[in-house]
Amino acid sequence: MRRQPINRISEKGLRVWRLYGIIQTFFVLLVAIGAGVLAYIFEWSWYIYGIAGIIVIAYAYLFVYLFPKIKWLRWRYEVRESEIELQHGLFIVKRTLIPMVRVQHVDTSQGPILRKYNLAGITISTAATNHEIPALIVEEADELRSRISTLARVADDDV
């Protein structure tokens, strides 16, 4: 088996994923509060409050701390002359090889949260699907987009 790709995404990406986890946990908290209000109105058993609290705490731990950390540790990429290799996954680690001759175009994207942290994502489009490298520093993302575009053009000329 090949060695794993050498490049990692920015450590700021970990902060962004944790922020996404906090936002998601807020919505879970709202549902738990709703369940607590319903338990109070309809005089359901008191253990509903405990179950709702445990669910919110477990969700927050998993989606704010644990999953982003694992995701960040496993996310790797490498751009070679003839291919792009991606490795990512939470429980199942997926490794993808994208031949340069299959690359149709490369985009960068940046939402408001990524912009705040000076990050961008790269989307590599092939005829079959799209592949993303998330949370790169903007300058690195722009440089990588240009490099992939150049290598894809060269690979297309060789065919």
Side-chain angles (χ1 to χ4, degrees), residues 1 5 13 28 45-46 59 63 79 87 93 103 108 119 132 136 140-143 146 154:
M1 193 164 154
V28 171
S45 183
W46 60 270
Y59 191 92
F63 288 88
V79 177
Q87 174 183 299
V93 177
V103 173
T108 55
L119 298 173
E132 185 181 9
L136 297 172
E140 183 182 346
D142 289 338
E143 181 183 312
S146 297
V154 169

Side-chain angles (χ1 to χ4, degrees), residues 22 65 88 118 124 126 141-142:
I22 289 169
Y65 177 74
H88 58 91
N118 194 35
I124 303 158
T126 64
D142 289 338

Side-chain angles (χ1 to χ4, degrees), residues 53-92:
I54 290 170
I55 288 172
V56 170
I57 291 169
Y59 191 92
Y61 173 75
L62 292 174
F63 288 88
V64 174
Y65 177 74
L66 187 63
F67 291 168
K69 180 73 172 175
I70 294 171
K71 212 164 122 176
W72 181 79
L73 287 171
R74 299 232 173 113
W75 235 115
R76 295 176 177 268
Y77 69 95
E78 188 170 352
V79 177
R80 299 185 190 104
E81 210 170 290
S82 61
E83 65 195 9
I84 303 164
E85 185 173 4
L86 307 176
Q87 174 183 299
H88 58 91
L90 194 58
F91 299 112
I92 298 172

Side-chain angles (χ1 to χ4, degrees), residues 15 21 24 57 63 81 84 114 157 159:
R15 284 188 236 148
Q24 292 170 347
I57 291 169
F63 288 88
E81 210 170 290
I84 303 164
L114 288 176
D157 292 342
V159 173

Side-chain angles (χ1 to χ4, degrees), residues 12 16 20 109-120 138:
K12 291 180 184 177
V16 168
Y20 289 156
S109 60
Q110 184 182 50
I113 296 175
L114 288 176
R115 190 173 304 116
K116 179 185 182 323
Y117 288 95
N118 194 35
L119 298 173
V138 172

